[in-house]
Structure formats: structure tokens, C-alpha cells
Amino acid sequence: MAGYVLRRLLAAIPVLAIVAVLVFLMLRLTPGDPAAVIAGDNASSEQIAQVRQKLGLDQSLPAQFAIWIGNLLHGNLGESFFFKKSIGELILGRIEPTLSLAAATMLIAVCVAIPLGVVAAYRHGSWLDRIVMGMSVLGFSVPVFVIGYLLIYVFSITLGWFPVQGYQPLSAGLGGYLHRLVLPAVTLSVVYIALIARMTRASVLEVLNEDYIRTARAKGQVERKILFRHALKNAAVPIVTVVGIGIALLIGGVVVTESVFAIPGLGRLTVDAVLARDYPTIQALILMFSGVYVLINLLIDLTYSLFDPRIRH
């Protein structure tokens, strides 16, 4: 197992290296000049050239890439062009809202979707199964920002149960923290509930036709025990895969949800950096997201052995 983990970690290095090169070239070859954005609309060409020289954008692409990689290997993510702060400080200041939103979203999605998928598989072909599958299709079809604005209108503007926008840090109080986190987490969890519920239903439905399920029923075991101990455990490998992919896909979903609910997280930071063409910040964020994606895939592979002992061998 240790050798497998080491091989997977070593395989992640070239992946991250390719991502770094692609991001570096893609940002610099697209139209637009960050020096002109920073200097302002009324800046002269001389002032823009001074800003470009100060930022090091007047150097060749290989020189810029060498400087950036050198700083990165020394643990220095650089300084933001737009925010005039260290990128490490920016990420640390924005990471709590994003992690809170992602954790709350997956907690809601897993707690709701897996029982719904198991029940839909058990009641295959019934009205309950049709309702769950219909809700799953609806959850896939409606964009996240539409769901967000709809929930804001109903629960914030009409009923007044939740604040319209904003985020309260955990250090400022648990009650306000959870109160402002519920609505964006529910908004973002709708898509993942649909995804996980469909996969759970398909996996459990396939397992329910196996011989050991019929044997367990012939022994007179309780149906709930058969569903959740035998069927769900043996169907867990594809479900865990989908949950892991969902966590990785949260990177894209968080950007939209944080913009709708004005949450000062990494998603909002990414949008602001892209609009300002803040090269160092965008590069650091994409590399961080790529590293998280690779780490999640590694953890998914390691959890397979917990549900299927055959994978260990």
C-alpha cells in the first residue's frame, strides 16, 4: 500500500507541472494587458510601460516563467498585482468561507442523497422512485444561480428567515455562522443531491439482484439490515467515486454560489483576479485547485480498499 501511495504521489508531479505551464501560457497569450488595467483608463503609454516594467511583464516569457517557478519552489506564491498583498495572505484570508461552504454542501448532499437513492432502488418502479428520479433530473437541469436567486426570493425576501447575502466567520459566533451558511449550502447541494442519488440508486439496484442478497433474505434478516449493511456497503465503490468527483467539482460550483451570495471566499477571489488579469493570483489559485483535485483522487483510490478487500491484493 505504501508503494502504491508513493507512485500516485510521484505521478501527480508531472500533472501539476503540465498544469503550471498551460496556465502560465494561457494567461499571457490571451488578449489584454494587466498593466493597462492597473494603470487606469486615463494612463498614458509611458505610465503603462512603467507599470509593466515594475511588474516584470517586459521580460521574455521564459524569463517570467523561470522567476515564477523559482519563487514557487521556495514556497513564495508571489504578490498580487491587483490586491497589492501576498497571495498566501489572500488565500488564507479567503479559505475559511470556501471550506465551510464545501463541507456543508457535501454533508447535506450525502445525508439526503444516499438514503433517497437506497429507498428509490428498494422501491424500484414505484411512485417514490419516480419522484426521486424526477427531482434528480430537475436538479441537473436548473442552473445553480437560478436556484440561488429563487431561494433568496422565497426564504430571504418573502419569508425573511435568512439574510440575503454575506458571510459571518465562525469566530464571530456559531449561530450567525450557521444562519448565513444554510442558504448557499442548500443551493449548491441541489446538484450534488441529484448526482449522488442517481448513482446510489443505480448501484444499489444492481447489487439487490445478487445471490448473497437473496441468501440474506432467505435467512430471515431484517430488510433494513440487508439494505444498509449488505447492499449499500457492496455498492459503495461507485458511490464514493461520485462523492469524490463532486467534491472536486465544488471548485467550479463555489465560484457561482459565492458570487450570488456575496461570500468572500476563493471563488470570489478567482473572479476578481480574472477580471483584473492578476496573473500571480490566478496561477496560484489554479495550481492549488489542481493539487486538491489530485489529492482527492488519491484519497478516493485509498478508500476503495475499505469497502472491497479484494482491491488490497
Side-chain angles (χ1 to χ4, degrees), residues 30 32 140 196 244:
T30 51
F140 276 123
I196 297 171

Side-chain angles (χ1 to χ4, degrees), residues 211-242:
D211 292 336
Y212 57 84
I213 297 295
R214 288 192 288 269
T215 302
R217 285 173 175 164
K219 291 181 177 180
Q221 292 193 6
V222 181
E223 198 69 24
R224 182 183 301 175
K225 182 179 179 181
I226 294 174
L227 283 176
F228 288 95
R229 177 173 296 183
H230 297 287
L232 183 58
K233 183 177 180 180
N234 287 278
V237 170
I239 298 172
V240 169
T241 303
V242 171

Side-chain angles (χ1 to χ4, degrees), residues 152 155-157 159-165 178-180 182-183:
I152 288 174
F155 294 101
S156 298
I157 298 176
L159 299 176
W161 291 356
F162 299 98
V164 176
Q165 291 179 325
L178 294 176
H179 191 220
R180 290 183 175 273
V182 168
L183 212 56

Side-chain angles (χ1 to χ4, degrees), residues 19-37:
V19 170
V21 173
L22 291 178
V23 171
F24 180 85
L25 294 176
M26 181 175 59
L27 290 175
R28 283 162 174 77
L29 295 179
T30 51
D33 187 358
V37 176

Side-chain angles (χ1 to χ4, degrees), residues 57-70:
L57 298 175
D58 59 334
Q59 302 184 41
S60 63
L61 289 180
Q64 294 182 43
F65 184 74
I67 294 173
W68 178 59
I69 288 296

Side-chain angles (χ1 to χ4, degrees), residues 28 55 64 67-92 269 278-285 287:
R28 283 162 174 77
L55 298 178
Q64 294 182 43
I67 294 173
W68 178 59
I69 288 296
N71 292 332
L72 192 64
L73 293 176
H74 287 86
N76 181 14
L77 296 177
E79 183 176 345
S80 170
F81 292 168
F82 182 74
F83 296 97
K84 306 297 183 183
K85 292 176 62 177
S86 169
I87 297 175
E89 295 179 5
L90 283 174
I91 292 177
L92 288 177
L269 179 61
D278 191 348
Y279 291 160
T281 304
I282 299 173
Q283 290 168 169
L285 288 171
L287 276 180

